[in-house]
Amino acid sequence: MITLDEFIIQRQRDFPFATGDLSGILRNISLAAKVVNREVNKAGLVEILGETEDENIHGEQVKKLDDYANRQFIDSLRISGLCCGIASEEEDDFLAFDEKPNLQANYVVTFDPLDGSSNIDVNVSIGTIFSIYRRVSPLGPCKEIDFLQCGTEQVASGYIIYGSSTMMVYTTRNGLNGFTLDPSIGEFCLSHPNIIMPKTGKYYSINQGYMANFKKGVREFVKYCQEKDEATKRPFGLRYIGSMVADIHRNLITGGIFIYPSLSNHPKGKLRLVYECNPMALIIEQAGGKATTGTMNILDLKPTELHERCPVFMGSTALVEKAEDFLVAYKGQ
Ligand code: AHG
Ligand code: MN
Ligand code: MN
């Protein structure tokens, strides 16, 4: 059995000049995840379900667990002394850490502390998503440009899924590995080494309730998924949990496509480039899948603001390319 901490140390030895800072950040993220997991597991028993009085910058009601998770990840990264600042989906602006070791640190972290907020109160899988970048600003307080880097610049990304079991899945651009939390010893243990996703799959994941607001290309792709065809094993099953982490985790393991497209009332869709799309796009690519906006690789987008959104088509390569074919065929409609 290999624990996450052992695995991180082993991987660090592959890089002779590694300082251990990135390893330390990953360890502190996994520690915060364990604390959040503990609260998620007893959520119905303690006063942590429901909403706070606040609305976040996206106009969404902040849940108590969103707020709790946000504070855990911020505190854990701050005390690491290895991170010069963070940007969180739940914060209006980035936070530059001003403690002495953090001012000298080389990394920034972005995260969605609790993904799938609408599922918190109903005991359905939720998650956390994170990205790590090397700062581009000089030592001292970090700057916004540190957070507005292309996804191609990510040093590492990952997610935690608080599901029927809790897992941490992450990449340092050297393959994708998954660790399951063994609650009896309180350790994440390597359970899914070197994850490679199937080239195609039998699931499509999209909020089909918004069909009337999709562009024609997306509507036609949905119809394609529903048609009968033995050669391509259609119709595909529709699976949509409403927690991006859980939907993508399933599709990574079984094969499939996850879509949150542009809507007539929300042209850039809903999901956030910096906190959700970029980290997940790197994960999908590391597993051999594809992640695009329908026309462009997500990782090539240059964010212009922290909270910007983008449409996403990600998952098994054959399915993403098929969806892109429909977008091209019905371009402008
Ligand atoms: P968050 O809870 O961090 O705001 O993210 C929720 C996201 C994502 O997890 C999910 O795929 C999507 O919102 C669901 O949105 P719809 O209810 O519009 O389908
Ligand atoms: Mn989210
Ligand atoms: Mn969230």
Side-chain angles (χ1 to χ4, degrees):
M1 184 174 75
I2 302 177
T3 68
L4 175 62
D5 286 356
E6 285 166 344
F7 185 87
I8 290 172
I9 291 166
Q10 278 182 16
R11 280 291 161 104
Q12 191 187 313
R13 286 200 205 105
D14 296 344
F15 301 95
F17 301 107
T19 57
D21 291 4
L22 178 63
S23 303
I25 290 175
L26 287 167
R27 275 203 306 274
N28 277 40
I29 288 174
S30 75
L31 188 61
K34 286 186 208 173
V35 177
V36 171
N37 177 64
R38 186 187 65 198
E39 294 306 299
V40 169
N41 279 337
K42 60 181 184 189
L45 301 171
V46 291
E47 285 291 305
I48 198 139
L49 293 182
E51 293 172 348
T52 64
E53 312 246 294
D54 304 323
E55 222 180 53
N56 67 16
I57 191 158
H58 313 278
E60 300 157 348
Q61 200 68 38
V62 179
K63 302 264 186 173
K64 288 183 191 164
L65 258 177
D66 284 323
D67 190 44
Y68 181 85
N70 189 39
R71 282 186 284 115
Q72 286 305 322
F73 284 97
I74 292 175
D75 291 350
S76 187
L77 289 163
R78 189 192 288 278
I79 57 162
S80 73
L82 302 168
C83 169
C84 53
I86 63 96
S88 161
E89 188 194 80
E90 295 299 336
E91 298 287 331
D92 293 0
D93 209 346
F94 68 96
L95 292 180
F97 293 152
D98 53 9
E99 301 76 16
K100 217 169 172 188
N102 290 323
L103 290 168
Q104 301 302 311
N106 285 313
Y107 294 102
V108 295
V109 181
T110 71
F111 53 86
D112 174 359
L114 226 287
D115 174 67
S117 299
S118 68
N119 286 323
I120 293 174
D121 292 349
V122 290
N123 214 340
V124 172
S125 298
I126 49 183
T128 296
I129 310 172
F130 64 90
S131 274
I132 306 176
Y133 297 83
R134 201 165 247 286
R135 73 187 299 167
V136 287
S137 64
L139 295 183
C142 63
K143 302 275 183 308
E144 193 181 42
I145 47 166
D146 296 321
F147 301 95
L148 296 182
Q149 301 186 54
C150 284
T152 46
E153 301 304 312
Q154 290 171 102
V155 174
S157 77
Y159 62 81
I160 296 103
I161 176 166
Y162 312 99
S164 48
S165 61
T166 295
M167 284 187 71
M168 177 158 156
V169 176
Y170 82 96
T171 176
T172 48
R173 312 191 72 101
N174 182 15
L176 182 68
N177 292 282
F179 301 80
T180 303
L181 183 65
D182 180 340
S184 65
I185 56 169
E187 295 278 4
F188 284 102
C189 301
L190 182 61
S191 53
H192 295 62
N194 203 17
I195 299 171
I196 300 291
M197 77 180 301
K199 287 277 166 257
T200 188
K202 54 179 183 174
Y203 293 132
Y204 71 109
S205 311
I206 185 168
N207 192 335
Q208 214 165 290
Y210 303 154
M211 192 81 158
N213 292 336
F214 296 161
K215 291 199 170 131
K216 185 154 169 73
V218 178
R219 293 202 304 272
E220 291 299 320
F221 176 69
V222 169
K223 281 191 214 156
Y224 165 87
C225 294
Q226 296 168 336
E227 276 161 15
K228 194 167 163 47
D229 176 57
E230 274 174 26
T232 48
K233 299 208 171 79
R234 283 179 290 144
F236 299 145
L238 167 62
R239 292 282 187 283
Y240 190 74
I241 294 170
S243 296
M244 181 192 202
V245 165
D247 279 311
I248 288 186
H249 180 73
R250 182 202 47 251
N251 292 356
L252 258 182
I253 308 293
T254 63
I257 181 169
F258 172 84
I259 303 176
Y260 206 112
S262 131
L263 305 175
S264 51
N265 48 343
H266 297 288
K268 288 192 141 194
K270 173 182 184 186
L271 299 176
R272 279 115 323 193
L273 175 58
V274 172
Y275 312 110
E276 293 164 323
C277 306
N278 266 337
M280 286 308 203
L282 181 62
I283 286 165
I284 291 277
E285 286 197 4
Q286 286 288 317
K290 192 167 181 189
T292 75
T293 61
T295 51
M296 260 191 87
N297 278 344
I298 287 175
L299 295 180
D300 291 330
L301 297 175
K302 175 88 179 85
T304 52
E305 50 173 332
L306 281 176
H307 296 289
E308 81 182 62
R309 301 167 193 262
C310 75
V312 296
F313 295 74
M314 52 172 77
S316 297
T317 305
L319 297 178
V320 173
E321 288 178 350
K322 192 75 197 172
E324 286 174 334
D325 291 346
F326 279 96
L327 296 182
V328 170
Y330 294 97
K331 196 165 177 229
Q333 296 182 53

